[in-house]
Amino acid sequence: MLQRRIDDHAPPSREDMREAQEIFYKHLKRVGLKHTEQRDTILRTFLETRDHLSTDELFRLARKKDAKIGFTTVYRTLKLLAECGLASEVAFHDGVARYEHQFNRRSHHHMVCTDCGLSVEFFSPEVGKLEEEIGRKYHFDATRHTFQIYGVCEDCRKKPSRKLI
Amino acid sequence: MLQRRIDDHAPPSREDMREAQEIFYKHLKRVGLKHTEQRDTILRTFLETRDHLSTDELFRLARKKDAKIGFTTVYRTLKLLAECGLASEVAFHDGVARYEHQFNRRSHHHMVCTDCGLSVEFFSPEVGKLEEEIGRKYHFDATRHTFQIYGVCEDCRKKPSRKLI
DNA sequence: ATTGAAAATGAAATTCATTTTCAATTAGAA
DNA sequence: TTCTAATTGAAAATGAATTTCATTTTCAAT
Ligand SMILES: [Mn+2]
Ligand SMILES: [Mn+2]
Ligand SMILES: [Zn+2]
Ligand SMILES: [Zn+2]
């Protein structure tokens, strides 16, 4: 899925990779699961991109590193990564669940073009404050929120046709 | 789906109902569709509740008024109602698409309990301003946004178990 | 190094909300 | 009333998400 980045970053350093792996292994140990080559490959593949990937997209990328990795393993590993905070689901409402890695990343939100699917990341600390404030007001223990803006990007406004979302 | 209302309202008056129907009929005529008894029943059923209904939930309610109404017709009618602004989809991320009616209602957002599914409505004009502001900044023609807060409600914090979402 | 129990894997099957198909029925303009 | 295009709803299809299960692998205890 197309993306335009606001805070472009280099790919993760070897040190970053090791640190993220450690978080993952700690989590696996904590819940009584085992360390495997596949889980390693999937985590590495996931960290290498800042894209918002569907399970199938990550599966295809991981398969380039290990041709016999299975879709099911990618699916299950994404759940594990979400459990330990290395991944989070991001719903663009395009019919598939997407994930992005959360290792050393600032919290951000997305604006999505309903025509071409382009997503733009933006920062808006006010939204986090609203979560806290409204949770308090209605006596919720607020743990997370979703905020997305939908519209038509500059390029698509110039084109004639329309599709998607 | 359970809901706690902030701005409780009486059921729609006969006059409200007529006004909403007129909006619907105008839309049908505009796109070359016909006025049917089923569509009428579905609209009335939909307006009578302020709940956030899945297609299946609305189908079950509508069937009480007309036992031989079909699921497919409810499904299609919801799309039509969304087209003319009388309904909007609200994604609680519980695995089904939900709709709420937008006739004579203030724009609002939702806080959802991830344990029991309770949803609380709240008003936050700041969020609408953010949409406008960020759209402008990144040259999007922003048309809508989604904002939800997830957490655990007061009642569920007291209970021991956990489930859902 | 060997063993064995528990976990992991991945292909295949299943689930389930959503969407499409299609033959019979109905609306409504002329 | 007639005719055409739209509607209906049961059934089938779709497709992402999830589960099943036979086989393989991990890893802690010998
Ligand atoms: Mn992002
Ligand atoms: Mn609402
Ligand atoms: Zn675009
Ligand atoms: Zn609750």
Side-chain angles (χ1 to χ4, degrees), chain B residues 25-35 39:
Chain B
Y25 300 164
K26 286 255 177 68
H27 176 70
L28 290 177
K29 186 147 282 179
R30 188 162 46 242
V31 296
L33 303 182
K34 290 169 178 173
H35 173 217
R39 284 174 176 166

Side-chain angles (χ1 to χ4, degrees), chain A residues 4 111-118 120 150-163, chain B residues 132 134-143:
Chain A
R4 187 189 296 155
M111 182 154 60
V112 181
C113 177
T114 52
D115 198 16
C116 69
L118 171 81
V120 175
Y150 295 91
V152 182
C153 76
E154 203 164 12
D155 287 352
C156 287
R157 272 204 304 284
K158 292 169 187 163
K159 294 182 292 181
S161 58
R162 284 292 146 97
K163 266 197 299 245
Chain B
E132 200 271 326
I134 293 172
R136 187 152 23 82
K137 183 164 174 184
Y138 296 111
H139 308 102
F140 262 62
D141 184 3
T143 51

Side-chain angles (χ1 to χ4, degrees), chain B residues 33-34 36 38-39 68 70 72-73 76:
Chain B
L33 303 182
K34 290 169 178 173
T36 69
Q38 288 95 328
R39 284 174 176 166
K68 47 193 193 326
T72 315
T73 303
R76 286 185 284 225

Side-chain angles (χ1 to χ4, degrees), chain A residues 33-34 36 39 68 70 73 76:
Chain A
L33 303 182
K34 290 168 179 175
T36 68
R39 284 173 175 167
K68 47 193 193 329
T73 302
R76 286 186 283 226

Side-chain angles (χ1 to χ4, degrees), chain A residues 3 52 100 105 108 110 121:
Chain A
Q3 188 194 162
H52 306 89
E100 66 180 347
R105 297 213 60 196
H108 63 272
H110 304 94
E121 302 188 331

Side-chain angles (χ1 to χ4, degrees), chain B residues 3 50 52 90 92 100 105 108-110 121:
Chain B
Q3 188 193 165
R50 288 166 76 78
H52 306 88
V90 49
F92 286 173
E100 66 180 348
R105 297 214 59 197
H108 63 271
H109 300 98
H110 304 94
E121 303 188 332

Side-chain angles (χ1 to χ4, degrees), chain B residues 63-85:
Chain B
R63 210 167 40 172
K64 289 182 186 171
K65 290 191 165 60
D66 174 357
K68 47 193 193 326
I69 230 160
F71 173 89
T72 315
T73 303
V74 174
Y75 165 79
R76 286 185 284 225
T77 303
L78 270 173
K79 301 250 156 184
L80 290 173
L81 292 174
E83 275 176 24
C84 64

Side-chain angles (χ1 to χ4, degrees), chain B residues 38 41-46 49 52-78 81 97-99:
Chain B
Q38 288 95 328
T41 303
I42 293 163
L43 172 58
R44 265 185 297 115
T45 310
F46 188 55
T49 178
H52 306 88
L53 299 172
S54 68
T55 308
D56 194 61
E57 284 167 353
L58 181 56
F59 165 58
R60 286 161 194 277
L61 288 177
R63 210 167 40 172
K64 289 182 186 171
K65 290 191 165 60
D66 174 357
K68 47 193 193 326
I69 230 160
F71 173 89
T72 315
T73 303
V74 174
Y75 165 79
R76 286 185 284 225
T77 303
L78 270 173
L81 292 174
R98 297 185 172 279
Y99 294 83

